[in-house]
Amino acid sequence: MQDLTHYIDGAHVAGTSGRFADVMNPATGEVQGRVPLASEAEVAHAVDVAARAQPAWAAVNPQRRARVMMKFVDLLNRDMDKLAEALSREHGKTLPDAAGDVQRGLEVVEYCIGAPHLLKGEYTDSAGPGIDMYSMRQALGVTAGITPFNFPAMIPMWMFAPAIACGNAFILKPSERDPSVPLMLAELMEEAGLPKGVLQVVNGDKEAVDAILHHPVIQSIGFVGSTPIAEYIYGTGCANGKRVQCFGGAKNHMIVMPDADMDQAADALIGAGYGAAGERCMAISVAVPVGDETADRLIEKLVPRIEKLKVGPYTAGKDVDYGPVVTAAAKANIERLVQTGIDQGAKLVVDGRNFNLQGYEDGFFVGPHLFDHVTKDMDIYRQEIFGPVLSTVRAQSYEEAIGLAMDHEYGNGTAIFTRDGDAARDFANRINVGMVGINVPIPVPLAYHTFGGWKKSVFGDLNQHGPDAFKFYTRTKTVTARWPSGIKEGGEFSIPVME
């Protein structure tokens, strides 16, 4: 069994709190390691180290900071397989999905190589007589991020890469469920040339989170996770005078119009609904076919595809469609919600409750489920299940379909499948959701755009990555300069007299 550590001041550091959490192998249900849970004092020590390292790092010019990012990209590509395997071992997702997790983080690092351009300020010549005015973007100081279990490579890089490129130091508090990859990323950043102390990894639970929220030196906090925790972190962080961005839960709807290519829509729903065992904030968990005929055709296409899904451990090969969920508690919650859906009257078209994988009976595997005739008052519609469960809500019109997505409390992502450009354009313009796909089921923006939802899926006014990240991790300072005139005329040699 592996004993994990914190990563502070360029070294692996054993925990001193005496508290630990088990790190599970989700495929077998066995404990494969333990991770230390930091005390308030340990967090404070990491912040002190970061605060000492940050001024010198901020003084490094942006081009040299970008070169560290360039080297980091090279190292990520070099160690891609190693990172993916470590990620799969602790999270449970398939190897191709784990490599995608790393790749999507890498792409944000590539964007951050543009820091010299992205950090440029503005300049106005002759704003007044002899007056020039200019603005500059300056680092905040020590920043922090609290990241989730479902993307242990991508989300940390979405946060620390722009923060560090801007000249900040960064305290990363990753999920205690799969902490190995964040520790490996910190090692690679220092191999790429990052000075010790600029990136620290502090493992922990709520005690560490509260220590971050209340530490006066930490200037900003990023968070990705559930909406109740997002609300808590946002409220507490803001009350303590910090800049905070929090990204919460989701219930992403995919509208299927009668004119849609039904094979394309079904294939999209399979990948978006069941990939990564549904443990994605951008997973499609609600299909909304417009019209009963459309619904019947869609269900007819979905059922055989779902029944062919291969569920298994990442070690079973690259043809595995999805693996286990992350914990026994997550599995139990999914099973509870499935039973709630049955009890409340939804039709379970594909029943994955009796799924059993020989040799992995103690693993956290959940079979795929498909519900039909789900209504908006049911728990499986209102709550985020975070599992391989797709709910079908039949709408009788386009207006009813778009209304379902607009009325839901979450607004992270959504999609419409149609051949009608007018319907697609109307949907994109009217929908009150942050990320919209048109014949694209998981509309996660590329690194040079920004990622973020609306409504109760987000707390804060700036999105992740893209231009917003460089705004979030810097402050704007505006300088008005006026220089006295006359010295350019040369010296005055006569005795000055009153004029």
Side-chain angles (χ1 to χ4, degrees), residues 143-148 159 171 173-176 204-215 218-248 458-460 472:
T143 59
I146 302 162
T147 58
M159 293 185 188
I171 308 291
K173 205 302 286 181
S175 171
E176 62 274 25
D205 55 5
K206 188 176 185 297
E207 184 175 341
V209 169
D210 285 339
I212 288 169
L213 289 172
H214 292 283
H215 200 293
I218 293 175
Q219 299 297 302
S220 76
I221 298 171
F223 170 80
V224 175
S226 69
T227 286
I229 305 302
E231 288 183 296
Y232 170 74
I233 289 174
Y234 185 74
T236 307
C238 289
N240 288 327
K242 304 183 189 307
R243 182 178 293 183
V244 188
Q245 59 174 188
C246 292
F247 300 86
V458 67
F459 301 87
F472 182 75

Side-chain angles (χ1 to χ4, degrees), residues 57 60-69 116:
W57 175 244
V60 173
N61 73 59
Q63 190 170 357
R64 291 186 182 275
R65 296 201 299 262
R67 287 173 185 163
V68 172
M69 297 295 164

Side-chain angles (χ1 to χ4, degrees), residues 79 87 134 138 168 171 183 211 270 273 350 363 390 473 495:
D79 289 358
L87 197 158
Y134 61 94
Q138 294 190 323
N168 299 290
I171 308 291
L183 292 166
I270 294 298
V350 177
L390 180 63
Y473 288 113
I495 297 174

Side-chain angles (χ1 to χ4, degrees), residues 3-8 11-20 34-39 41-43 45 183 201-203:
D3 276 335
L4 296 162
T5 63
H6 308 299
Y7 195 82
I8 299 173
H12 287 276
V13 177
T16 60
S17 70
R19 298 188 307 118
F20 296 88
R34 63 176 193 164
V35 60
L37 302 176
S39 64
E42 288 173 291
V43 173
H45 172 62
L183 292 166
V201 180
V202 179
N203 289 299

Side-chain angles (χ1 to χ4, degrees), residues 425-445:
R425 189 171 185 273
D426 179 79
F427 182 80
N429 285 329
R430 287 172 57 193
I431 195 73
N432 56 350
V433 174
M435 292 170 283
V436 181
I438 298 172
N439 299 317
V440 174
I442 306 179
V444 178

Side-chain angles (χ1 to χ4, degrees), residues 86-130:
L87 197 158
S88 293
R89 187 174 62 248
E90 292 182 352
H91 177 278
K93 64 176 66 177
T94 66
L95 282 172
D97 200 24
D101 189 329
V102 179
Q103 179 65 33
R104 273 300 189 126
L106 180 155
E107 290 168 3
V108 169
V109 180
E110 288 178 324
Y111 177 77
C112 293
I113 294 170
H117 172 72
L118 294 163
L119 290 171
K120 288 193 299 186
E122 299 174 318
Y123 189 93
T124 299
D125 175 62
S126 298

Side-chain angles (χ1 to χ4, degrees), residues 380-403:
I380 57 171
Y381 176 75
R382 293 185 298 106
Q383 297 181 28
E384 184 176 32
I385 301 174
F386 229 56
V389 182
L390 180 63
S391 297
T392 307
V393 181
R394 296 177 176 231
Q396 297 308 309
S397 67
Y398 166 74
E399 288 298 326
E400 182 184 353
I402 194 173

Side-chain angles (χ1 to χ4, degrees), residues 201-477:
V201 180
V202 179
N203 289 299
D205 55 5
K206 188 176 185 297
E207 184 175 341
V209 169
D210 285 339
I212 288 169
L213 289 172
H214 292 283
H215 200 293
V217 172
I218 293 175
Q219 299 297 302
S220 76
I221 298 171
F223 170 80
V224 175
S226 69
T227 286
I229 305 302
E231 288 183 296
Y232 170 74
I233 289 174
Y234 185 74
T236 307
C238 289
N240 288 327
K242 304 183 189 307
R243 182 178 293 183
V244 188
Q245 59 174 188
C246 292
F247 300 86
K251 198 70 178 179
N252 304 319
H253 294 57
M254 185 173 122
I255 315 301
V256 181
M257 296 295 287
D259 67 335
D261 181 320
M262 214 54 62
D263 286 305
Q264 183 188 52
D267 287 339
L269 280 168
I270 294 298
Y274 300 98
E279 291 181 319
R280 295 171 175 160
C281 67
M282 287 296 285
I284 294 292
S285 53
V286 181
V288 187
V290 176
D292 286 330
E293 182 184 353
T294 306
D296 291 341
R297 288 191 291 133
L298 181 63
I299 295 292
E300 183 182 358
K301 296 286 187 181
L302 284 172
V303 170
R305 287 169 166 83
I306 295 170
E307 291 175 342
K308 290 178 183 177
L309 287 173
K310 182 177 179 180
V311 183
Y314 76 93
T315 52
K318 292 188 177 181
D319 61 337
V320 173
D321 293 305
Y322 73 83
V325 295
V326 71
T327 62
K331 177 180 177 179
N333 186 59
I334 295 163
E335 292 171 341
R336 177 188 64 80
L337 282 165
V338 167
Q339 188 59 49
T340 298
I342 296 168
D343 294 343
Q344 293 178 350
K347 181 181 179 182
L348 188 57
V349 180
V350 177
D351 186 350
R353 288 176 295 173
N354 295 322
F355 179 82
N356 185 52
L357 190 62
Q358 187 174 1
Y360 294 90
E361 289 82 2
D362 294 328
F364 311 139
F365 292 95
V366 179
H369 296 73
L370 174 65
F371 278 104
D372 194 7
H373 298 286
V374 175
T375 58
K376 62 182 182 180
D377 59 326
M378 294 178 181
D379 289 349
I380 57 171
Y381 176 75
R382 293 185 298 106
Q383 297 181 28
E384 184 176 32
I385 301 174
F386 229 56
V389 182
L390 180 63
S391 297
T392 307
V393 181
R394 296 177 176 231
Q396 297 308 309
S397 67
Y398 166 74
E399 288 298 326
E400 182 184 353
I402 194 173
L404 286 166
M406 293 182 73
D407 290 343
H408 203 284
E409 66 175 337
Y410 295 128
N412 208 44
T414 189
I416 185 170
F417 272 64
T418 182
R419 290 186 175 97
D420 185 343
D422 179 59
R425 189 171 185 273
D426 179 79
F427 182 80
N429 285 329
R430 287 172 57 193
I431 195 73
N432 56 350
V433 174
M435 292 170 283
V436 181
I438 298 172
N439 299 317
V440 174
I442 306 179
V444 178
L446 292 175
Y448 43 87
H449 286 268
T450 68
F451 177 104
W454 287 15
K455 299 184 285 188
K456 282 201 170 183
S457 293
V458 67
F459 301 87
D461 60 345
L462 289 171
N463 285 347
Q464 293 188 100
H465 66 64
D468 274 12
F470 280 76
K471 295 176 183 176
F472 182 75
Y473 288 113
T474 58
R475 288 191 182 96
T476 301
K477 180 183 289 182

